[in-house]
Amino acid sequence: MKRLLLLLLLAASTVLAAPRVGTHDGYTRVVFDLPRTTSASTKVSGQSVTVKLGVSLSAAGGKLSAPGVTAYTVKGSTVTIKLAKDHASAKVSVLPPRDGQGARLVIDVPTSAAAAKVPSTPVRTAPAAVTRPTGTRAPARPRVVLDPGHGGVDPGMRSRWVQEHEATLAVALRVRDELRKHGVDVVMTRETNTDLSADKATDLDMRSRLATTGKTSAFVSIHVNASTNPAGQGIETYYFGQPLDASRSRAITENGGGSVGAELTRRAANSAQSLLGDLLAQAKLAFSRQLAQKVQANLISATGAVNRGVQTDAFYVIRNPTTPAILIEIGFGSSPVEGPRLAQPAYRDRVATAIARAILDFLNMK
């Protein structure tokens, strides 16, 4: 257990040093946070993109698993991105602080066959929400998969105030509409009270597979919590990892409950144990943790709810971290305080807007 905790801490510690990586239609975007706006010069040599900055960053490095890129290193004022075979170009931008975001170094690597070998473009210092890839195609749209928890044969938690399958769908549809206003391509795992399969394992697996590597920038599953203790309340956000106490795992309930939930949680936990030994998987988990932190902070700020924090657990639907994936418990439907709130359209709007703004921030968009 001590070794497992150490691995979790190591994965979490890479968040600040590691770049954010988004895969879009036609290009891969790599984003580094900067302490301030700075000058930058770019050189492409062989299969490397080297950016010289006017500021120094903490030393870091690691593998990248996205189309067109394979690794990155940061040494002082030098940032290097290793390109995949047959890729020899990049578009580099330094964006100034804007809309609550700090300065950023943005490196876009074209991934289409025709664009991959076009020479790199010069550095510019101008804000942009979505950068047009090299070529004549329309601006690429990042894709987000939204998963309203439960539905169909599995209604989730039920109380005198709210039913989980209905509340999660209502909030997810609001998040979808807000993201689409900002140019995000949204895929819903369900848009009505239905499921993808009557078998819980199959249903969860089909939902997670909608987040295809190379096409999806984030997977967000939305749920409503419950407790036998009426005083239980608050919001919490999870990313995938080994539960610290399997007997108290929240994942058992969200994975179907009872013996089915326990078995799916066991399978997912075994997956977590093996994934944590792989550096690439740790990097994926780090990106998921970063998304979880942004969502949790926005939700607490918008609602004033009890902050139950960012945690890890073996949720089956987010067990395969091929893209940043999180699960949000937006409140306790069993609470006499939060149950009535979760039934109110205005409160659902607040929750949905907070989630959408956090996702847009994570995607480096307005």
Side-chain angles (χ1 to χ4, degrees), residues 21-29 65-67 111 137 140-145 183-187 208-219 284 322-324 363:
V21 180
T23 54
H24 310 289
D25 184 15
Y27 70 106
T28 291
R29 170 167 289 182
S65 180
T111 54
R137 298 164 65 179
R141 301 174 64 195
R143 176 175 297 172
V144 172
V145 176
V184 178
D185 179 22
V186 180
V187 175
S208 67
R209 289 184 183 278
L210 289 174
T212 305
T213 302
K215 294 182 180 180
T216 304
S217 301
F219 180 96
K284 293 292 186 183
T322 57
T323 189
L363 296 176

Side-chain angles (χ1 to χ4, degrees), residues 75 174 314:
K75 294 182 179 179
R174 287 165 163 81

Side-chain angles (χ1 to χ4, degrees), residues 7-26:
L7 286 170
L8 281 169
L9 290 173
L10 286 173
S13 68
T14 64
V15 174
L16 294 178
R20 300 190 295 277
V21 180
T23 54
H24 310 289
D25 184 15

Side-chain angles (χ1 to χ4, degrees), residues 8-96:
L8 281 169
L9 290 173
L10 286 173
S13 68
T14 64
V15 174
L16 294 178
R20 300 190 295 277
V21 180
T23 54
H24 310 289
D25 184 15
Y27 70 106
T28 291
R29 170 167 289 182
V30 184
V31 180
F32 294 85
D33 290 323
L34 301 176
R36 58 179 172 81
T37 305
T38 182
S39 60
S41 61
T42 306
K43 178 182 179 182
V44 178
S45 177
Q47 289 180 259
S48 292
V49 177
T50 302
V51 182
K52 293 285 188 179
L53 300 169
V55 295
S56 291
L57 305 177
S58 300
K63 295 180 180 179
L64 297 175
S65 180
V69 296
T70 61
Y72 78 97
T73 57
V74 180
K75 294 182 179 179
S77 61
T78 303
V79 175
T80 302
I81 299 293
K82 291 291 185 181
L83 302 177
K85 184 180 179 181
D86 295 329
H87 289 74
S89 71
K91 178 178 288 186
V92 180
S93 307
V94 174
L95 305 185

